[in-house]
Amino acid sequence: MKLEEMKQGLWGYKKDHVFLYIATQEEAFSQKLLEKDAQMERMDQQAQTRIRELEEENSRLREEVSRIRGQYDQISTAILDARASAEALKAETQVQEEAARQTLRQALEQDLSLLDGYRANIKKLRESICATLEELNAQTHQLEQQAASLSEAAPTGNLALFR
């Protein structure tokens, strides 16, 4: 009902028509309020759905951040362990290297000592050979002198008699 459709009486609008108009307006406003309430309810449900989605995404992202932090911590720990292991390996290698040097040094000293022994033996052998050669030379010289004196003392004549 519209305001123009209301019937007028002597003193203004008729009561029944005013009540009907008010009832119609109230029904229209109630309908609009219900539609607004329904629309608000839908919007509220959509907002609640969106909030749940965002909370789920937030939860998922927090889990991912937590996982990434865990991986970061593991990587950091692995790097620190690798550094410590490298330092330990380096120290162990230096100890082994020093032990190898010491062993090599001892082997070299033993070899040099053995070489000095060989050198002393060679020197003794050379001296012995030289002494033997000098002795042989002296004996040879003496034998040459004896041969020469025998050759001089040998008879020079007819030796046919001594047959």
Side-chain angles (χ1 to χ4, degrees):
M1 174 179 244
K2 296 185 179 176
L3 191 58
E4 298 89 28
E5 295 175 358
M6 286 200 303
K7 294 190 178 180
Q8 295 186 2
L10 191 58
W11 303 104
Y13 295 107
K14 291 188 176 181
K15 266 186 178 179
D16 291 341
H17 285 275
V18 170
F19 284 135
L20 184 62
Y21 177 75
I22 290 174
T24 306
Q25 291 298 319
E26 180 186 4
E27 190 177 311
F29 285 133
S30 293
Q31 183 64 31
K32 286 183 181 179
L33 280 176
L34 286 174
E35 287 174 5
K36 285 281 186 187
D37 283 347
Q39 185 181 7
M40 290 302 285
E41 183 67 31
R42 283 192 307 271
M43 288 176 62
D44 187 43
Q45 287 177 354
Q46 288 174 349
Q48 290 297 328
T49 303
R50 180 69 178 146
I51 287 171
R52 277 192 302 277
E53 289 172 356
L54 289 174
E55 284 176 347
E56 288 173 2
E57 184 178 357
N58 187 22
S59 175
R60 185 182 54 77
L61 290 174
R62 283 180 189 229
E63 288 174 4
E64 187 174 340
V65 165
S66 176
R67 182 183 54 81
I68 290 172
R69 281 187 181 149
Q71 288 176 347
Y72 177 78
D73 290 344
Q74 287 176 346
I75 290 170
S76 296
T77 303
I79 288 172
L80 292 174
D81 288 347
R83 283 183 183 165
S85 179
E87 290 296 323
L89 233 106
K90 186 177 178 182
E92 184 180 334
T93 302
Q94 287 176 345
V95 167
Q96 289 177 351
E97 186 178 305
E98 186 58 36
R101 281 187 188 137
Q102 185 66 26
T103 304
L104 185 62
R105 195 174 296 125
Q106 288 174 351
L108 181 62
E109 287 174 2
Q110 288 175 350
D111 288 348
L112 288 175
S113 174
L114 188 62
L115 186 61
D116 285 342
Y118 289 155
R119 191 177 300 146
N121 287 342
I122 290 172
K123 183 178 180 182
K124 286 179 187 176
L125 182 63
R126 185 177 57 81
E127 288 174 354
S128 175
I129 290 173
C130 284
T132 305
L133 284 176
E134 285 178 14
E135 212 176 282
L136 284 175
N137 192 23
Q139 286 176 358
T140 310
H141 185 57
Q142 189 178 16
L143 288 174
E144 282 178 355
Q145 284 180 351
Q146 282 179 357
S149 65
L150 284 175
S151 179
E152 285 177 10
T156 59
N158 189 0
L159 295 177
L161 296 173
F162 291 107
R163 278 193 186 178

